[in-house]
Structures are given as C-alpha cells and as structure tokens.
Amino acid sequence: MRRSLPVATVAAITSAGLLLAGCSGKGSSDSSAGANAATKGIVNASDEKGGTLTYAMSDAPESFDPGNTYYAFVYNFSRLYARPLTTFKPGAGTKGNQLVPDLAESMGKPSDGGKTWTYKLRKGVTYEDGTPVTSQDVKYAVERSNFARDTLSLGPNYFQHLLVDNEGGYKGPYKDKSKEGLKSIETPDEQTIVFHLNKPFAEFDYLVSAPQTAPVPQAKDKGADYTKAVVSTGSYKFESYQEGKRLTLVRNPKWSAKTDPLRKQLPDKIVLNLKVAQSTIDKDLQAGNTQIDMAGRGVDGQTQAQLLTDPAQKSNTDNALGQRLVYTAINTKQAPFDNIECRKAVEFAIDKKAVQTALGGPIRGDIASTVLPTDLAGYQKFDLYPQKYNGDNLDLTEAKKHWDKCGAGNVSTTILARNDRQDEIDAATSVIGSLKKIGINAKIQSYPTSKYFSDYAGVPEFDKTNNVGLIMMQWGSDFPTGYGYLQQILHGKAISQSGNTNLSQLDDPEINDLLDNAIANTDQSAREKAYGEIDRKAMEQAALVPLTYFKVLMYRSPKATNLVSTSAYSGEYDYLNIGVKK
C-alpha cells in the first residue's frame, strides 16, 4: 500500500515542505483530464467551498473508531475527524507516500538506539468542544486500541508487542484503573509523549501514522460504542450516525488551519451512504449524485465494460496500483493443509489465469508469484511454483505429484469470501474449480465485510469448527515498507483470536526472527534486502497463494475536486481535501 522512505529523508522532506502540504499544488483544472490523470497529479484542483460531498459504500465498515479499524479506506477517511501523530501528504501514486507530521509538530526524535521515540504535539489543537488535546489523550488512545483486545479487537496490535512494562501484565484502561496506566508510555508534560520500546524499531514514524495514535478523551470513551460518536480533532465532526445506513459529518467549528497545515474545510457537509449496491454506486458516480466510492475497490464488471468501450467515459477513469495483493491464504493449522506437500499442491493447482479473468482481467492486476507486490521496495522477482499451460488448460503434473506425496486423497474443505464483493466470490469459485481437479472439494461460506475478520476469517476457533482450509484475501500494507506489509500477515505474534490478519496462522521461527531483526536495522537497504528474503521464505512454506498484484479501476467523478490517487491508501483517492462543484 505504501513505499518506504528512510527516517532521515522523511525528516528532510518535512522540514522543507510543510508549508506546501495539502492539495494546493499544481494539478489539472479540468475534471476530464484524461485516463489515469489522478495517478499523475491532482485533478480539478480547487479551493471552492460549500456543498455536500457524498460517499457511498456497498457494505458498512466494521467501525469508524480510529482505534478499532483495519481497512485502508477507514484509515484514509478517519483523518477527516481524527488526527494521528503523523500522516501522508496528498500526492499522486508513490508521491503520496511522503510522511509528514500531523498532530505532532515534527517527526519523532529517536534515542537509545531506536528504542525510545519522543514527539511534541502541536500547540493549540482542541477537540470539537474546545477542550485542549493533550499527550495523555494520545497515550490513552494507544492503551485502549492495543491493550483492550477483548473490547477493541479490529485494529493491528503492533504497540501491544512493542510496548511492554517491566512487570508486564498490563490489562488495558478498561480493567486497569491506575492513574499511571501503561508505564512504557510517558507524558512528562501535556505536549510531550515518549514511547519506550522493548527493541529498536527503525520505522516508528510510520507506525504512529496509524489512526490508533489519534487522541481520545478518556471521559468521552464508550468502548466499542465510541464508533457512534467519535470526538473530533479533525476538520469535520460527526453530526449523525445511523448504523448500517448513513454517517453525516459537518464542519468542526473548533478546527483551526493555524494548527493544521494539511487539511482544508471545503464541503459544508460530508455524507456517507452505507450498504448501497455497487452497481447503484457506479451509476450514481456517473450521474454525479455520488462523488466517491468509499471502499475504493473500483467499479463492478458490467460498469468496467461500459467505461472501457466509451472513450469519453474512459477519460474519467484511473487504473492504479496500490501496493496490494489478492491471494488465497492456506490455513497451516487445518488438516490436510498442515502438511506442506498439500499446500504446495494447492500452489500448483490454482489456475491463476482463470482467477485473473474472474477478477476482471489484466486491468485488475497482473498474475502474481510473490507476497510482496511489485510496487513496494524490497520486491524481488521469483516464482517457486511456475504454471505451465497446454493451450488454455493448466498443466497439473506438479500439483498431482505433490498431492500424491501429501497422501490426503479426496478431501473436503471450506473456503471463505466476502459476500458483498462479487469479484471475490467469482475468484473463490474459480479456485474451487481448479482444486476439484486434484481431489480437493471446497465449498464457499461467505460473510459481509463488516464481520469478515471479527467473526470468521482467521478466527482460529471458527476456522477449526467449520473446517476452513482456504480464505480469500486482499492485502495492502499498514505503512509503505516491507515490514508494514509483511508483519501482520506472516509474523506469529500477529495471530489473535479475533480480528486476525495472519489468516494462514503461520508461526515460523525463522520468519519471525527475520522480521524482528530487519526492523531493528537502521540501514534501509539492508531492511529491504531482508524483506525480499522473508518473502521467499514465506513462499517456501506455501503459506498463501499469490493470485494478482491488484489494480483498481475507479471512475473519477467530474463533480469532485482535488482528486488524486495515492499509493498511501491502496490506490484510493486521498480523502483529506476533496471538495464538490456546486
């Protein structure tokens, strides 16, 4: 999802470029600037204020709580009302990977060999009610999002493993009522926050770009229900939220441009309509009734065919890479896939060309052979399970050879997919057809995006009970480095009982050590070399089947301003400063 920058480079860019941040840079003034224009620059740049900007989504996010979410589109959208310590400056493609301070006044100051990181908050930042934001609020936000996993389980858990008190056993703020809280985060004054890590972490500035560092006032926290009325520090605030139907944001009257060089307040109101059919979203985008597809997954197959055959319509499309991979996770804990020979058979048996076609063809992504996508630093080209074809038919010789070594015979298994993503259902159906040819009889169980990770995919107890051997997945990194991409899908410590993204439940000591050692290394080139090695080790374990290096085809609404497709958020449009033509 993002490309890495060394800490020194980020700091240099930041000090020189803060005054230029935001969407005021050069861009086309014509909303029909041509196909892929938003992958190259900001399209229809404008400071025009007023109107209602309308988003739509085919399902509903699991949560709008910045401390309890893991979807890129919510990371992107939440910045309208929640300011993390650092964030990404709007920019086209990998230019959108430029990390800059947000709530913090500068990038972090490392010490103790990279085990201690200190940040100063900008002065004068308040919540929507005028209450000053303090460093204690940021500390509390990290405590609740990482150490109360029985209540808030949907986000990543990096801090939980990096911040460990000497005594250990911290139970999170809902159970631990001590005034001090987590000892490994210090707040010596209201503007300073100090993170003490148990090991060096060279990319910590990227880690604190997660919305989990957006401040939360403890007195206003309602646990899992905080999603219904998040207290804003951004340019917009919640006006109303009808769960599963609509979220409405309005201007935050306490927001000040003096304390925020990144954001603007362009629309009067921002409306997000939920659980709208994708075909309806596509039609509304073309008609101008909706300006943004919230999930950023692109148009459906029927709309795609129409757009690509109409030159006028095609000129309003953006086909972007977003450092994402579509893959099938193989559950290494579920028989017979706990046998590596069985997993290797699956690697050879899945017809990737057929899956690519099911996903919408090459415009939706090239066939993949690695865990790391091609547009992420550290990627190395290799293919441990090359596929051969006899005409249009996949040669299954290697697949059958490994399946015979596996000795499982004819087996039944379950494959999971999201039922509001037709392309994912189609891809899963293709996978089923491929595997049946070697004796694997898979059936689909599909669930909505809003509950996919919390209740089903990767939940160890559910997977065991339902004989889940395969899981459909699309993944983009938490931050644009190899570690930000690989850790949460390959490291054993990422496995959790709910909200798990290590869907393969892979816990390989060598891979774990390689990841731990890489992130402690201050040499960026050495880290990137290690990420390539980790990629190869994961493929040797046949933990997942790379299908395509995902590309999105989005329709660019002529009624939206300041549109720019960014790698920082999986090729989606950057949501920070989009306006609407009145």
Side-chain angles (χ1 to χ4, degrees), residues 528-549:
E528 292 176 357
K529 182 179 179 181
Y531 300 146
E533 183 180 355
I534 293 163
D535 187 348
R536 183 175 288 270
K537 293 290 183 184
M539 290 308 302
E540 288 173 353
Q541 289 294 319
L544 57 86
V545 183
L547 299 172
T548 62
Y549 300 119

Side-chain angles (χ1 to χ4, degrees), residues 63-69 136-156 159-160 170-175 182 185 211-231:
S63 174
F64 290 103
D65 184 337
N68 195 34
T69 185
Q136 290 86 355
D137 298 336
V138 177
K139 174 180 178 177
Y140 179 74
V142 174
E143 289 174 337
R144 70 187 288 275
S145 62
N146 275 255
F147 294 89
R149 304 295 287 183
D150 55 341
T151 303
L152 307 174
S153 65
L154 300 178
F159 293 103
Q160 184 185 42
Y170 176 66
K171 301 298 182 182
Y174 303 137
K175 295 180 180 179
L182 188 66
I185 301 180
Q212 292 180 334
T213 66
V216 175
Q218 187 170 4
K220 301 289 183 69
D221 184 18
K222 297 180 180 179
D225 285 337
Y226 186 64
T227 183
K228 298 176 182 178
V230 177
V231 183

Side-chain angles (χ1 to χ4, degrees), residues 324-478:
R324 281 194 273 181
L325 179 74
V326 178
Y327 65 91
T328 300
I330 306 176
N331 186 351
T332 62
K333 304 301 182 185
Q334 187 71 29
F337 305 113
D338 52 353
N339 182 325
I340 192 171
E341 292 297 333
C342 295
R343 300 198 299 269
K344 288 182 177 180
V346 172
E347 296 276 2
F348 280 110
I350 293 178
D351 186 339
K352 295 182 182 181
K353 285 186 178 179
V355 171
Q356 182 190 48
T357 299
L359 289 170
I363 199 166
R364 293 294 186 150
D366 294 328
I367 290 173
S369 62
T370 60
V371 182
L372 284 172
T374 58
D375 55 337
L376 191 66
Y379 163 79
Q380 296 176 10
K381 185 177 180 179
F382 65 90
D383 189 353
L384 300 185
Y385 310 100
Q387 296 194 325
K388 300 177 182 178
Y389 288 83
N390 297 317
D392 294 330
N393 299 316
L394 178 64
D395 186 337
L396 294 173
T397 302
E398 286 295 317
K400 291 177 178 178
K401 181 175 73 175
H402 286 284
W403 192 247
D404 288 342
K405 286 184 180 179
C406 162
N410 290 322
V411 300
S412 297
T413 193
T414 300
I415 183 169
L416 301 185
R418 283 165 280 198
N419 58 18
D420 55 298
R421 299 189 173 199
Q422 188 58 49
D423 55 350
E424 192 163 278
I425 295 292
D426 293 342
T429 302
S430 178
V431 168
I432 288 171
S434 294
L435 296 181
K436 189 172 184 179
K437 296 176 183 178
I438 65 169
I440 301 174
N441 298 297
K443 64 176 182 178
I444 296 178
Q445 287 184 201
S446 62
Y447 302 96
T449 291
S450 57
K451 299 293 183 182
Y452 195 61
F453 298 104
S454 59
D455 296 356
Y456 310 109
V459 178
E461 188 59 36
F462 177 87
D463 289 353
K464 182 178 179 181
T465 302
N466 289 269
N467 189 30
V468 176
L470 305 165
I471 303 172
M472 299 303 295
M473 181 61 163
Q474 184 189 123
W475 182 249
S477 66
D478 299 339

